[in-house]
Amino acid sequence: MVKITRDNLLTLEAYAKIRKDFRTQVMAHKKTRKIPLGENITLIFEDAITIRYQIQEMLYVERIFHEDEIMHELETYTPLIPDGHNWKATMLIEYPDPAIRAVKLAGLIGVEDKVWVRIAAHPPVYAIADEDLERENSEKTSAVHFLRFELTPEMIQSLHQGAALSIGVDHPAYQAAIDPVDSNIRTSLLQDLSGA
C-alpha cells in the first residue's frame, strides 16, 4: 500500500505551481470514491491520493513549513489511508439548515456505528468509528465521522473474484443502502485491498 512520508510532500512553493491541476485530478478521483446514502449522509472513501491532497492543502492554506508542524499533519492524516485489508471513509451528515441539522444530529446519536458494507453472501461489516476521538455526546452526534471497515481475507478474495458490494446505514432514524455499488466505485475501492 502507498505510504505518505515527509520526503514525498511538496514544498509550499512547489505545491502552489501544481495546486490547480492536482485539485482537478483529485476531484475526478473522488467521484469514484464517494457514496451518497440517502439524501443526508455521504461516505468518501479515503486513499493515499485523497489524504495526500488533504495534507498538502492543510500545509498550503495554513502556511505550515516548520518541520514539527508538518509531522503533526502527517501523523493526523496518514492513519486514514487503508492498509490492504480495510476501507477507511469520512462520513458527512449534511443538512443545509442549521436548525434542522441540530435536531437531526440529536436524533442520529450512534449512526456512525450503524454504517455497513456487505460483500455478496458474507455477513455485513459494521464500521469501527472515530478511533481518533469521541465525536458524539449524550445530546447529539457529530456531522463528521471517520470510519474503518475491517474485511476478512475471504471477503477480499470474494471481491477480487467479482462478488457484489453493497453499502448502507441502518439506524432507527435513518436507513439507506446502495445495492449493488456502482462498478466504477467498486473498481476504485478494490484497489485499496491486497491483491489488487
Side-chain angles (χ1 to χ4, degrees), residues 155-172:
M155 291 173 181
I156 294 170
Q157 183 179 12
S158 292
L159 281 166
H160 284 298
Q161 293 171 345
L165 170 64
S166 52
I167 298 176
V169 59
D170 187 17
H171 183 273

Side-chain angles (χ1 to χ4, degrees), residues 68-146:
D68 59 334
E69 293 173 325
I70 293 171
M71 294 310 294
H72 174 74
E73 295 301 321
L74 278 166
E75 290 165 9
T76 299
Y77 288 104
T78 56
L80 298 175
I81 300 172
D83 56 20
H85 52 83
N86 55 35
W87 285 316
K88 298 184 181 182
T90 301
M91 180 173 92
L92 307 173
I93 304 174
E94 303 166 302
Y95 290 91
D97 182 291
I100 293 173
R101 181 183 322 120
V103 170
K104 294 295 187 179
L105 291 177
L108 287 171
I109 292 174
V111 70
E112 66 276 11
D113 299 316
K114 301 296 184 183
V115 181
W116 52 266
V117 299
R118 189 174 55 241
I119 292 100
H122 294 277
V125 174
Y126 283 87
I128 299 164
D130 302 324
E131 295 174 286
D132 59 338
L133 57 97
E134 191 62 37
R135 293 182 181 274
E136 73 175 19
N137 58 40
S138 61
E139 297 173 9
K140 68 177 182 69
T141 192
S142 172
V144 179
H145 294 277
F146 298 103

Side-chain angles (χ1 to χ4, degrees), residues 18-30 53:
I18 67 148
R19 186 177 183 222
K20 184 178 176 189
D21 290 340
F22 188 47
R23 183 182 195 292
T24 300
Q25 173 193 343
V26 171
M27 292 306 116
H29 178 69
K30 276 190 174 186
Y53 175 72

Side-chain angles (χ1 to χ4, degrees), residues 146-158:
F146 298 103
L147 311 180
R148 174 170 56 94
F149 300 94
E150 278 300 317
L151 306 177
T152 66
E154 294 78 19
M155 291 173 181
I156 294 170
Q157 183 179 12
S158 292

Side-chain angles (χ1 to χ4, degrees), residues 25-76:
Q25 173 193 343
V26 171
M27 292 306 116
H29 178 69
K30 276 190 174 186
K31 286 182 182 176
T32 66
R33 305 188 64 81
K34 188 174 182 178
I35 296 184
L37 293 174
E39 293 183 14
N40 306 105
I41 292 180
T42 301
L43 299 182
I44 300 170
F45 284 84
E46 307 292 359
D47 67 357
I49 294 170
T50 65
I51 296 303
R52 180 178 178 161
Y53 175 72
Q54 181 67 36
I55 293 170
Q56 291 283 182
E57 279 293 300
M58 286 298 293
L59 299 180
Y60 181 81
V61 171
E62 300 291 329
R63 296 290 184 242
I64 296 172
F65 55 87
H66 291 293
E67 201 62 31
D68 59 334
E69 293 173 325
I70 293 171
M71 294 310 294
H72 174 74
E73 295 301 321
L74 278 166
E75 290 165 9
T76 299

